Amino acid sequence: MNYEIVELKEKIVVGYKARTSNTSPEMQSIIGGLWQKLYMPEHVAAIANRTNEYAIGLYSDYQGEEYDVTAGFEVSKMPEEDSELSVKVIPAGKYAKFSIHGDMVEAVANAWKEIWQTPLDRTFTGDFEEYITMTDIDIYIAVK
């Protein structure tokens, strides 16, 4: 799978978070539930100062096999405290960018299978999917 190395500025992501692992039998339902929650009209409206309409799926805070997954949007500034919304920062740095096209669920799942097999010098500081359209998705993997 082809990719390019890009430099990104820090991004602030606001959304809904859960903890899971790739080996958890509930992983797909946990992640799917976050996306369903994010796209409820009142939840989309609750996220102020969005920089664009691209949804972000962020994987962060890796500890062993477990990690946080956040479904949200990039915002231009830190929000005020909200007990239900989670705020995460994607660090500035180098990322391997994989651009994929296809069915949102199937194409992303297949891309991740290939990414896990790709020899990258990963930092595990924050990897994310950016949904440009329903069929155009960029996946960014933090690298050294």
Side-chain angles (χ1 to χ4, degrees), residues 6-68:
V6 297
E7 285 280 339
L8 295 181
K9 294 181 180 177
E10 178 181 277
K11 293 178 182 276
I12 302 167
V13 177
V14 174
Y16 299 93
K17 174 188 82 162
R19 190 136 184 97
T20 191
S21 74
N22 290 343
T23 57
S24 169
E26 289 87 34
M27 179 196 63
Q28 288 182 339
S29 64
I30 289 170
I31 293 173
L34 288 174
W35 287 108
Q36 287 177 345
K37 188 173 189 175
L38 177 67
Y39 279 114
M40 294 175 74
E42 65 272 19
H43 291 165
V44 171
I47 300 175
N49 302 309
R50 290 191 308 218
T51 62
N52 55 48
E53 294 301 311
Y54 307 156
I56 291 180
L58 171 63
Y59 307 90
S60 64
D61 301 292
Y62 292 92
Q63 291 179 340
E65 289 189 11
E66 290 191 343
Y67 53 87
D68 285 349

Side-chain angles (χ1 to χ4, degrees), residues 76-138:
S76 58
K77 62 182 182 179
M78 286 286 193
E80 294 181 20
E81 286 284 326
D82 184 312
S83 60
E84 194 172 354
L85 291 172
S86 178
V87 178
K88 293 285 187 173
V89 175
I90 298 172
K94 282 199 314 189
Y95 290 80
K97 177 185 176 184
F98 298 81
S99 294
I100 59 175
H101 179 81
D103 175 74
M104 220 164 75
V105 176
E106 188 177 324
V108 169
N110 289 336
W112 274 107
K113 287 177 189 171
E114 288 190 45
I115 290 167
W116 280 106
Q117 301 303 315
T118 303
L120 296 169
D121 195 6
R122 296 180 65 183
T123 64
F124 294 96
T125 53
D127 306 316
F128 65 99
E129 303 151 356
E130 189 170 52
Y131 293 85
I132 312 303
T133 67
M134 297 296 278
T135 57
D136 292 306
I137 303 110
D138 290 332

